[in-house]
C-alpha cells in the first residue's frame, strides 16, 4: 500500500511539473513565431524538435496535374518526376533549424544557410546570382538586422557563389569587415571553368540544367522543364525573374586540406575538407548547436558521380570516405542542413540519411569495380550494376534517380579507373569521323534505308537504338532535314522517359537543337565579375587556350609579348612567346629574364584594360586614349591579338547536330 501511495505521489508531482512547464514552452514558441512572422507564414515541421519553417509569400503557379501523352503513347513526364517537382518547387521557405541557424530553401537552385552570431551573421553559400541573392537577403532582414561578418563558399559551383554582392560590398571585403572563406583549391577551379573552358561548359551546362526548355511548372507544358533535380530552375521562379548578374569575391581566408576551426561573430565552427562533388568541397559543424551543414556532399536525390555538362571525373571513393568521416566525426549532430533540399531533424534521422546515402554511392562504386574485374565494358557494366529498391527510394532516403543517373555514373567510374579505352584495339585508331559515317550508311543500304529502319525502331519504342542508328545519317548527310527530325523524335521520347533532371534536359534540348528551335534565352555566364577576381597572371595565361596555332604555324609567326600590370605598386610581369605557332606562357618568375630579342611588344595596362580588350568591349586605341594603357609596338600587339579566337558564341556550339 505504501509503495502504491508513493507511486501516486510521485506521478502527481511529475504531472504538476509538466503542467507548469507546458505553458512556458508554448509561450516561448508563440514568441518565436511572433518575432519572425513579419510578412511570413509558418508551420511546424518537426514536432519533437519544436522548430518551425517560415514560408515566404512567393507563390509558384500550380503544376499541371494532368500529364500529357506523346504521339507514341509515352507520358511526357514520369509520375515520380512530378512528385519530385512538387517537393522542390514549393514556395520558398526559411527553415529554422536551431535557435540561430536558418536554411533558405526554394529561392534558387541551391540553399543559403544563415547563422546568427553575437554581433553579426555568417552566410554559407550566397546562391546563384544577384536576383536570388537579393530575395534571400530580404528574407534574412525579416529575421535579423545584424551585419554580415563572413561569407563561406562550400564549393566552386556558380549556384553556390554567384550572389555574393547581394550580401556585402566590395569595400567591406577589401577593408576586412567581411571574411570570405573557401578551400584553397577553389580559385583554381573557378579559373578553369570561367577562363579556360567557358564556352563549351556554358553550352553543355545549359542543356544539363534545361535552360532552353519551357518551364513546365509554370506553363503546364509537359515537354518542358519539370525540376532541377536538386532545386528550382536557374532561370528564376517566374518568367519575369530571369537570372541576373553573377557576382563573386575571391576568398580572403583559404582553408587547408586539414580543415580549420574558427570563430566568427562569436560562433564556433569546425570546417572539414570533404572532397566529393568537387575537389574543393567543405562541410561545417557547429558543436554548440550540434548542426552539421553537409553542403553538396549529401543531396535530396542520388548525386552526379559524373556531371553530363562536363567536369573532371569525380573521385567516388574519396566521396564515400568524406561521408564516412562526417558520420563518425560528427556523430552527435542533431540537425543536418544540406545546401540542396530540406534540413533533417533528429540525431537518428541524420545518421540514417548519411548512412543510406553512402551505401547507395558505395553500391554503385564497388559493383562497378567488380564488373570491370570481370571484363565488362562500359555498356555491359550499365546492365550489370543495379541498386536495390531499399536504396532507390526518393522519399525515405533522399535518393532516387532524379538528379544523378546511375548509368552515367557507372561509365564515369569505369573511365576513372581504366580511361576511355575499353581494351578492344579497334578503338585505338579509327577512320576519320565523316568517313565512318558515310561508310556505315552505305553498308546499311543507303540513306533512305537507314531512315526507314529508324522509323520502324521508333514505332517499336526502341528509342536508344533509333537514335544511335540515325546519328550516322545525320553525320554523313548534314543537310538532310528528315534525318535530324527522326533523331529529334527519338531523343525526345527518351527525354520523356527520363526521371533524372539533367538527362531529361540533355535529351529535350538536343531535340530542339536538331529542329532548329533553340531560343537564345540562356543566361549570360557573367564572366566579367569572375574575371575581376582572377589574378593578372591567370588572365594572361588564358590567352593560350584561344590561340589559333594552325594559322600561326602556317604564317610562321615568331614573336613575344610582355604584359606588365599597371597598378601603381610593384609591377607584375608575365609574357607569351610564339614559336612558329606553338605558344608558351612565361610566368612572372621568368618573364624578366627574357632578352630583348625574345620580346617584340610590351603592354603596360591595368587588369580592367586587358579585360575590356579580351571581352571585345573596347579597342586597343580606346584603352590607350582613355585608360592610359601603354603599348610598345602596337603593330606587334595587334598581330598577336589577330591569332586569338576572340569571344566564342557558345549558343552556336552544336552538341547533337553532328
Amino acid at each position: 500500500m505504501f509503495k502504491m501511495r508513493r507511486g501516486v505521489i510521485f506521478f502527481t508531482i511529475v504531472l504538476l511539473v509538466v503542467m507548469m512547464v507546458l505553458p512556458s514552452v508554448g509561450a516561448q514558441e508563440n514568441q518565436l513565431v511572433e518575432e519572425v512572422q513579419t510578412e511570413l507564414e509558418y508551420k511546424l515541421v518537426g514536432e519533437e524538435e519544436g522548430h518551425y519553417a517560415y514560408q515566404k509569400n512567393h507563390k509558384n503557379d500550380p503544376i499541371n496535374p494532368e500529364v500529357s501523352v506523346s504521339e507514341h503513347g509515352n507520358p511526357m513526364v514520369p509520375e515520380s518526376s512530378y512528385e519530385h517537382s512538387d517537393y522542390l518547387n514549393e514556395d520558398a521557405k526559411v527553415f529554422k533549424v536551431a535557435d540561430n541557424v536558418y536554411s533558405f530553401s526554394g529561392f534558387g537552385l541551391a540553399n543559403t544557410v544563415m547563422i546568427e552570431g553575437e554581433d553579426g551573421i555568417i552566410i554559407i553559400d550566397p546562391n546563384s546570382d544577384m536576383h536570388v541573392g537579393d530575395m534571400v537577403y530580404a528574407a534574412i532582414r525579416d529575421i535579423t538586422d545584424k551585419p554580415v561578418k563572413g561569407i563561406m563558399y562550400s564549393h566552386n559551383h556558380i549556384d553556390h557563389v554567384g550572389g555574393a554582392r547581394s550580401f556585402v560590398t566590395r569595400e567591406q571585403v577589401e577593408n576586412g569587415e567581411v571574411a570570405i572563406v573557401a578551400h584553397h583549391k577553389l580559385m583554381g577551379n573557378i579559373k578553369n571553368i570561367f577562363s579556360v573552358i567557358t564556352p563549351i561548359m556554358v553550352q553543355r551546362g545549359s542543356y544539363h540544367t534545361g535552360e532552353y526548355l519551357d518551364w513546365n511548372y509554370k506553363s503546364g507544358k509537359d515537354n518542358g522543364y519539370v525540376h532541377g533535380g536538386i532545386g528550382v530552375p536557374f532561370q528564376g521562379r517566374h518568367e519575369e525573374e530571369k537570372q541576373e548578374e553573377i557576382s563573386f569575391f575571391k576568398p580572403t581566408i583559404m582553408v587547408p586540406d586539414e580543415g580549420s576551426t574558427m570563430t566568427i561573430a562569436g560562433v564556433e565552427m569546425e570546417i572539414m575538407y570533404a572532397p566529393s562533388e568537387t575537389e574543393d568541397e567543405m562541410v561545417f559543424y557547429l558543436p554548440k548547436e550540434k548542426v552539421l551543414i553537409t553542403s553538396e556532399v549529401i543531396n535530396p536525390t542520388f548525386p552526379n558521380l559524373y556531371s553530363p555538362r562536363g567536369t573532371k571525373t569525380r573521385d567516388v571513393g574519396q566521396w564515400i570516405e568524406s561521408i564516412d568521416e562526417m558520420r563518425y566525426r560528427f556523430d552527435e549532430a542533431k540537425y543536418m542542413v544540406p545546401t540542396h533540399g530540406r534540413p533533417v531533424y533528429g540525431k537518428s534521422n541524420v545518421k540514417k540519411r548519411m548512412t543510406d546515402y553512402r551505401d547507395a554511392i558505395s553500391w554503385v562504386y564497388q559493383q562497378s569495380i567488380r564488373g570491370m574485374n570481370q571484363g565488362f565494358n562500359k555498356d555491359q557494366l550499365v546492365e550489370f550494376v543495379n541498386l536495390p529498391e531499399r536504396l532507390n527510394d526518393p522519399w525515405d532516403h533522399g535518393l532516387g534517380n532524379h538528379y544523378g543517373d546511375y548509368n552515367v555514373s557507372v561509365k564515369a567510374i569505369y573511365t576513372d579507373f581504366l580511361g576511355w579505352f575499353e581494351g578492344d584495339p579497334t578503338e585505338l585508331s579509327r577512320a576519320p569521323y565523316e568517313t565512318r559515317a558515310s561508310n556505315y550508311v552505305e553498308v546499311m543500304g543507303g540513306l533512305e534505308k537507314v531512315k526507314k529502319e529508324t522509323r520502324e525502331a521508333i514505332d517499336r519504342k526502341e528509342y536508344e537504338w533509333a537514335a544511335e542508328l540515325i546519328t550516322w545519317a545525320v553525320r554523313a548527310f548534314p543537310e538532310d532535314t528528315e534525318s535530324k527530325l527522326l533523331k529529334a523524335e527519338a531523343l525526345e521520347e527518351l527525354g520523356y522517359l527520363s526521371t533524372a533532371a539533367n538527362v531529361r534536359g540533355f535529351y529535350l534540348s538536343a531535340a530542339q537543337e536538331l529542329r532548329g528551335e533553340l531560343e537564345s534565352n540562356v543566361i549570360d555566364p557573367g564572366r566579367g565579375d569572375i574575371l575581376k577576381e582572377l589574378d593578372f597572371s591567370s588572365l594572361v595565361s588564358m590567352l593560350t587556350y584561344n590561340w589559333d596555332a594552325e594559322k600561326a604555324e602556317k604564317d610562321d609567326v615568331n614573336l613575344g609579348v610582355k604584359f606588365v600590370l599597371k597598378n601603381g605598386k610593384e609591377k607584375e610581369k608575365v609574357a607569351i612567346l610564339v614559336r612558329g605557332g606553338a605558344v608558351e606562357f612565361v610566368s612572372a618568375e621568368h618573364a624578366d629574364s627574357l632578352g630583348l630579342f625574345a620580346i617584340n611588344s610590351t603592354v603596360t595596362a591595368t587588369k580592367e584594360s586587358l579585360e575590356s580588350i579580351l571581352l571585345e568591349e573596347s579597342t586597343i586605341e580606346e584603352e590607350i586614349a582613355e585608360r592610359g594603357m601603354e603599348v610598345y609596338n602596337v603593330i606587334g600587339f595587334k598581330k598577336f591579338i589577330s591569332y586569338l579566337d576572340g569571344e566564342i558564341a557558345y549558343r552556336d556550339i552544336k552538341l547533337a547536330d553532328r
Side-chain angles (χ1 to χ4, degrees):
M1 175 69 85
F2 175 75
K3 289 182 178 179
M4 185 175 71
R5 285 181 179 174
R6 188 170 59 181
V8 171
I9 292 170
F10 176 79
F11 177 80
T12 304
I13 292 172
V14 170
L15 183 61
L16 287 172
V17 169
V18 170
M19 291 174 68
M20 292 171 63
V21 169
L22 279 177
S24 173
V25 172
Q28 289 176 1
E29 289 182 348
N30 289 335
Q31 182 182 2
L32 173 68
V33 172
E34 289 171 1
E35 285 176 356
V36 295
Q37 196 179 351
T38 309
E39 297 184 2
L40 299 172
E41 299 172 359
Y42 66 92
K43 68 175 181 178
L44 195 65
V45 294
E47 292 187 14
E48 292 182 3
E49 303 299 331
H51 291 286
Y52 289 81
Y54 300 96
Q55 182 167 299
K56 193 74 177 174
N57 295 326
H58 190 89
K59 301 287 186 182
N60 280 328
D61 293 324
I63 295 174
N64 180 11
E66 296 182 4
V67 180
S68 303
V69 177
S70 76
E71 62 179 290
H72 297 285
N74 297 313
M76 291 184 178
V77 182
E79 183 178 351
S80 64
S81 291
Y82 260 137
E83 292 173 354
H84 196 64
S85 186
D86 280 331
Y87 169 82
L88 291 172
N89 291 326
E90 289 184 324
D91 299 335
K93 286 184 173 62
V94 184
F95 290 97
K96 184 177 178 66
V97 182
D99 287 341
N100 62 330
V101 181
Y102 301 80
S103 176
F104 295 76
S105 178
F107 291 80
L109 184 65
N111 299 340
T112 294
V113 180
M114 186 269 282
I115 305 165
E116 186 174 6
E118 296 169 359
D119 60 348
I121 60 176
I122 302 166
I123 302 297
I124 296 179
D125 289 356
N127 231 290
S128 59
D129 60 87
M130 292 188 68
H131 169 69
V132 176
D134 288 348
M135 286 197 297
V136 173
Y137 186 79
I140 286 174
R141 290 307 173 217
D142 284 331
I143 298 171
T144 178
D145 61 359
K146 292 179 181 178
V148 178
K149 293 289 186 178
I151 289 179
M152 299 188 170
Y153 301 139
S154 66
H155 61 293
N156 70 76
H157 289 167
I158 198 65
D159 54 316
H160 296 261
V161 305
R165 274 194 286 123
S166 292
F167 299 86
V168 297
T169 65
R170 186 172 297 279
E171 182 181 10
Q172 287 176 301
V173 175
E174 290 178 349
N175 66 21
E177 287 181 48
V178 178
I180 308 293
V181 182
H183 187 261
H184 71 90
K185 294 180 181 177
L186 180 133
M187 282 307 296
N189 291 320
I190 289 285
K191 172 189 172 184
N192 184 59
I193 295 170
F194 287 96
S195 69
V196 177
I197 56 170
T198 304
I200 186 62
M201 181 70 81
V202 170
Q203 182 69 327
R204 285 177 58 148
S206 299
Y207 281 50
H208 172 108
T209 55
E211 294 297 314
Y212 284 117
L213 305 181
D214 287 319
W215 303 358
N216 176 73
Y217 73 86
K218 178 180 185 299
S219 66
K221 294 181 180 178
D222 294 319
N223 63 345
Y225 182 98
V226 180
H227 60 79
I230 51 175
V232 299
F234 255 128
Q235 298 159 308
R237 300 181 66 92
H238 294 283
E239 189 168 0
E240 66 272 14
E241 296 175 357
K242 292 286 181 129
Q243 182 166 10
E244 292 187 356
E245 185 177 3
I246 291 173
S247 64
F248 176 75
F249 298 115
K250 64 184 176 184
T252 58
I253 298 176
M254 300 286 196
V255 176
D257 290 351
E258 296 75 27
S260 177
T261 299
M262 62 180 64
T263 301
I264 298 177
V267 177
E268 182 185 348
M269 179 184 298
E270 294 180 39
I271 303 177
M272 183 189 116
Y273 175 45
S276 46
E277 174 154 295
T278 66
E279 61 179 358
D280 53 25
E281 194 102 23
M282 303 191 305
V283 300
F284 312 87
Y285 183 64
L286 310 181
K288 180 181 176 182
E289 295 84 356
K290 298 190 184 305
V291 173
L292 176 59
I293 300 159
T294 57
S295 305
E296 209 162 341
V297 183
I298 307 287
N299 269 326
T301 178
F302 193 84
N304 270 334
L305 300 183
Y306 167 76
S307 179
R309 64 178 165 78
T311 59
K312 293 182 179 179
T313 304
R314 290 162 179 174
D315 190 330
V316 181
Q318 201 169 48
W319 195 326
I320 297 166
E321 290 175 9
S322 293
I323 298 176
D324 286 343
E325 184 175 352
M326 285 162 46
R327 291 170 57 228
Y328 293 110
R329 180 172 168 180
F330 305 124
D331 62 339
E332 292 299 314
K334 290 179 64 178
Y335 314 102
M336 186 179 82
V337 188
T339 50
H340 291 282
R342 300 172 181 175
V344 178
Y345 295 87
K347 188 174 177 180
S348 61
N349 291 331
V350 171
K351 286 185 175 181
K352 180 173 175 54
R353 176 62 61 87
M354 287 197 288
T355 301
D356 288 341
Y357 206 76
R358 67 87 58 204
D359 283 355
I361 295 174
S362 178
W363 184 291
V364 172
Y365 181 65
Q366 291 167 344
Q367 292 305 302
S368 294
I369 295 172
R370 176 171 168 248
M372 282 186 267
N373 283 327
Q374 294 181 33
F376 295 152
N377 62 30
K378 290 193 287 289
D379 290 332
Q380 292 170 323
L381 208 57
V382 168
E383 302 297 323
F384 178 74
V385 179
N386 291 287
L387 267 180
E389 189 61 33
R390 67 180 183 83
L391 293 176
N392 191 21
D393 186 329
W395 311 120
D396 288 344
H397 305 286
L399 293 169
N401 209 30
H402 291 290
Y403 184 56
D405 184 88
Y406 312 140
N407 296 344
V408 173
S409 300
V410 165
K411 294 176 182 178
I413 293 168
Y414 183 102
T415 304
D416 186 37
F417 275 90
L418 298 177
W420 61 266
F421 179 49
E422 296 182 332
D424 182 346
T426 57
E427 298 176 283
L428 294 175
S429 179
R430 286 176 166 166
Y433 194 71
E434 295 81 3
T435 302
R436 292 208 322 273
S438 297
N439 289 347
Y440 270 119
V441 172
E442 183 179 349
V443 167
M444 288 188 286
L447 177 60
E448 295 306 317
K449 180 68 181 299
V450 171
K451 289 193 287 190
K452 178 177 180 293
E453 291 292 335
T454 300
R455 166 54 59 200
E456 292 176 357
I458 291 175
D459 291 340
R460 294 193 304 270
K461 298 192 175 186
E462 297 176 2
Y463 305 120
E464 293 98 336
W465 168 238
E468 182 176 345
L469 181 62
I470 197 64
T471 291
W472 293 111
V474 171
R475 293 172 179 172
F477 297 90
E479 303 304 319
D480 187 71
T481 302
E482 187 180 0
S483 296
K484 296 177 183 180
L485 294 179
L486 280 169
K487 183 174 180 179
E489 188 176 344
L491 294 180
E492 196 166 58
E493 295 299 326
L494 288 169
Y496 295 152
L497 296 170
S498 300
T499 57
N502 44 50
V503 173
R504 176 184 174 93
F506 255 96
Y507 278 136
L508 298 186
S509 299
Q512 287 190 7
E513 176 196 320
L514 289 158
R515 293 190 178 114
E517 296 173 352
L518 281 185
E519 298 207 7
S520 299
N521 64 339
V522 176
I523 59 167
D524 188 287
R527 285 202 292 155
D529 213 25
I530 301 291
L531 287 179
K532 287 182 176 63
E533 297 298 333
L534 293 179
D535 58 46
F536 184 67
S537 177
S538 297
L539 192 65
V540 175
S541 68
M542 66 181 274
L543 301 180
T544 61
Y545 303 107
N546 295 329
W547 181 255
D548 189 340
E550 190 175 84
K551 178 183 174 185
E553 174 73 18
K554 182 180 178 182
D555 295 345
D556 193 24
V557 176
N558 293 276
L559 56 82
V561 180
K562 182 181 286 188
F563 295 86
V564 182
L565 177 62
K566 181 179 181 180
N567 61 1
K569 302 176 184 177
E570 183 178 349
K571 291 180 169 55
E572 183 178 354
K573 302 174 183 178
V574 294
I576 291 181
L577 303 180
V578 182
R579 293 180 295 275
V583 62
E584 174 190 359
F585 170 76
V586 182
S587 66
E589 181 182 1
H590 303 293
D592 261 344
S593 66
L594 297 173
L596 291 175
F597 293 104
I599 299 299
N600 306 91
S601 181
T602 301
V603 179
T604 304
T606 62
K607 234 169 120 265
E608 290 71 23
S609 286
L610 194 54
E611 288 166 10
S612 293
I613 292 171
L614 296 181
L615 293 173
E616 300 178 349
E617 296 172 349
S618 63
T619 65
I620 294 172
E621 288 78 11
E622 287 171 342
E623 291 302 318
I624 292 173
E626 297 173 15
R627 292 192 184 179
M629 185 172 78
E630 302 168 24
V631 181
Y632 167 73
N633 188 0
V634 173
I635 294 175
F637 184 42
K638 283 187 174 181
K639 181 178 181 181
F640 171 80
I641 292 289
S642 71
Y643 288 93
L644 298 176
D645 285 334
E647 198 74 4
I648 296 174
Y650 56 87
R651 293 184 178 95
D652 295 332
I653 297 174
K654 301 295 185 183
L655 300 182
D657 186 4
R658 58 177 179 176

